Amino acid sequence: MNSNKFHSYIALLAVIQGFVMSTVSPLPFNKKLSQSELERIEKGEVVIRNTGSIKNICIDSNDVNVSRALDVIRKLDPSYLAEVIQVRSVTSNENILKNLKTILLDIPSYVGIPYWSERHQRYFDLYSSGTVVSRQEDGATTHIGAKLSMSPFGDIHTDILLQESDGMLFYRSTNLNDLYYDGIKCVKEQNMKSVIMVFKTDDKWILYGIGGVEAPKIFFLKNRIEVSFMNRIKTFCNFVFSKL
């Protein structure tokens, strides 16, 4: 192969590579996501991660709204942290934001979500009751005060915020009262937060849930608290995604 043909061949390869890269929509994840997790996400599966720490969050986006949503969890800097992720096609899910809003604002429908207890090896209701105490709407923002009952923590007075913007929906829940486990205060008010957001990246919807709990790591309760709270957060996010 002479020099001119060689350089023409290299140029052709560069063009082909550029075309392929331009037709593949990059997903907004960093290297904290393992290759196996990424492969499962690309297949459309729901991936649940015991993230453990803020530094291990796998989402990576320059979108201002996404960063603002993640700041809710970053500011909490929780002791326990979990992520739930799924990717779906935009073309076959045109009403996903509308449907998600309906699901998240239907507080009474939270009752009866099946939760698997590792301790008891059986299913329980994630919430045994759910009532709306107050509701305010201002344009694209809905603010709800709710009372959710969750065994063994009792009533959780919850502040729920839902905001819509162009191509994105953001949901945040925060506990407004102290929570007790076996008579011991394990979570202070505003120290348990969950975020669910759906946003668009080119031809994909990114479904992303993250929940964190800032709680003391009491040696004889640490594992039980971690499993109890994290499994509940993962159960709720996974349930919401399954309803879409």
Side-chain angles (χ1 to χ4, degrees):
M1 182 181 294
N2 62 38
S3 178
N4 288 337
K5 286 184 177 180
F6 176 77
H7 287 105
S8 297
Y9 176 71
I10 295 299
L12 178 61
L13 285 180
V15 169
I16 293 172
Q17 183 181 30
F19 174 77
V20 170
M21 292 181 67
S22 68
T23 57
V24 176
S25 300
L27 296 175
F29 304 114
N30 56 37
K31 293 182 179 180
K32 300 297 182 180
L33 202 64
S34 70
Q35 185 60 38
S36 62
E37 288 172 330
L38 182 58
E39 289 173 358
R40 289 174 57 204
I41 286 173
E42 290 174 338
K43 293 177 183 177
E45 297 179 22
V46 175
V47 169
I48 300 174
R49 306 182 73 234
N50 288 319
T51 310
S53 171
I54 288 292
K55 66 182 181 180
N56 293 325
I57 288 177
C58 70
I59 204 83
D60 187 9
S61 173
N62 294 322
D63 187 284
V64 173
N65 291 320
V66 174
S67 295
R68 188 179 297 125
L70 289 175
D71 281 345
V72 171
I73 302 299
R74 290 193 184 105
K75 289 176 182 177
L76 178 63
D77 193 17
S79 308
Y80 309 102
L81 187 66
E83 294 172 291
V84 182
I85 310 143
Q86 190 180 32
V87 171
R88 299 192 186 185
S89 168
V90 168
T91 54
S92 57
N93 294 278
E94 294 87 352
N95 296 319
I96 195 168
L97 297 184
K98 178 182 178 182
N99 294 339
L100 179 61
K101 179 180 178 181
T102 299
I103 294 166
L104 291 173
L105 293 183
D106 186 6
I107 308 304
S109 74
Y110 293 8
V111 178
I113 295 174
Y115 163 73
W116 176 256
S117 169
E118 293 189 14
R119 183 182 181 189
H120 298 283
Q121 291 296 294
R122 53 163 288 196
Y123 282 101
F124 292 90
D125 287 346
L126 180 62
Y127 298 109
S128 57
S129 69
T131 56
V132 175
V133 177
S134 63
R135 177 168 177 152
Q136 295 179 330
E137 296 190 29
D138 182 9
T141 299
T142 303
H143 216 139
I144 290 178
K147 185 171 74 172
L148 303 169
S149 295
M150 178 191 288
S151 178
F153 309 105
D155 290 340
I156 304 176
H157 299 281
T158 307
D159 178 68
I160 294 172
L161 177 69
L162 187 143
Q163 292 179 321
E164 300 172 84
S165 58
D166 185 29
M168 180 179 180
L169 188 141
F170 163 72
Y171 166 96
R172 182 220 68 206
S173 70
T174 305
N175 69 305
L176 298 179
N177 60 306
D178 296 338
L179 304 182
Y180 292 81
Y181 192 102
D182 288 344
I184 300 173
K185 183 192 292 188
C186 56
V187 180
K188 293 181 180 179
E189 60 179 288
Q190 299 189 41
N191 274 10
M192 181 171 69
K193 298 179 184 288
S194 294
V195 167
I196 293 176
M197 58 179 164
V198 173
F199 60 97
K200 190 185 299 185
T201 297
D202 295 325
D203 61 343
K204 303 292 184 184
W205 287 114
I206 309 301
L207 286 66
Y208 182 77
I210 183 168
V213 178
E214 173 56 24
K217 294 189 175 183
I218 305 170
F219 74 94
F220 59 90
L221 281 180
K222 177 183 179 298
N223 184 63
R224 191 174 298 177
I225 289 175
E226 180 175 14
V227 170
S228 185
F229 281 117
M230 289 299 93
N231 282 359
R232 282 169 168 81
I233 288 171
K234 291 182 285 189
T235 294
F236 180 72
C237 292
N238 194 34
F239 172 80
V240 171
F241 292 178
S242 71
K243 296 285 285 185
L244 291 171

